[in-house]
Amino acid sequence: QVQLVESGGGLVQPGGSLRVSCQASGMIVNMNAMGWYRQAPGQERELVATITKGGKTTYATSVKGRFTISRDDAKNTVYLQMNSLKPEDTAVYYCTLTAYAGPYWGKGTRVTVSS
């Protein structure tokens, strides 16, 4: 069984930075793209960023230029570096992994941007 565990969320002031991580474990077969989604209170879950096995990245328009997604396949880990954070970035951030019998989702880590 594949498990994804996010970490690194918390409270940060507007303009600050935060890095969230997600490590996958278990019987992972044909590990492919990884990504981050987020869900703010009362809103639908939305795509934040994705990264393919080959390293190609995509970003939501709202985070482009501020967020950077990366991955370390040796550690089965995906990262999301978030800079110049805004109050509207407040949400629960979920990581996802595309692999055989997936996709798989983590349980989320909360990010709050507030002064």
Side-chain angles (χ1 to χ4, degrees):
Q1 187 172 356
V2 176
Q3 290 186 328
L4 301 179
V5 179
E6 300 98 337
S7 61
L11 173 65
V12 62
Q13 292 186 344
S17 298
L18 202 63
R19 188 177 82 157
V20 292
S21 305
C22 172
Q23 185 169 36
S25 62
M27 187 68 72
I28 304 170
V29 179
N30 290 337
M31 185 173 179
N32 204 326
M34 302 185 79
W36 289 93
Y37 285 70
R38 68 186 181 186
Q39 187 167 19
Q43 297 187 21
E44 294 186 353
R45 192 173 296 189
E46 64 174 358
L47 173 69
V48 177
T50 63
I51 183 167
T52 68
K53 190 175 182 179
K56 182 178 179 181
T57 58
T58 59
Y59 296 93
T61 301
S62 59
V63 307
K64 200 172 293 184
R66 301 187 297 121
F67 290 12
T68 302
I69 189 172
S70 60
R71 62 190 286 170
D72 183 342
D73 286 350
K75 297 180 180 180
N76 289 342
T77 299
V78 63
Y79 306 95
L80 185 68
Q81 176 67 43
M82 303 181 287
N83 299 327
S84 301
L85 282 160
K86 305 175 181 179
E88 50 264 43
D89 295 317
T90 296
V92 177
Y93 283 71
Y94 299 91
C95 74
T96 183
L97 164 66
T98 300
Y100 177 75
Y104 303 94
W105 292 86
K107 294 183 178 181
T109 185
R110 186 174 301 277
V111 173
T112 302
V113 185
S114 175
S115 55

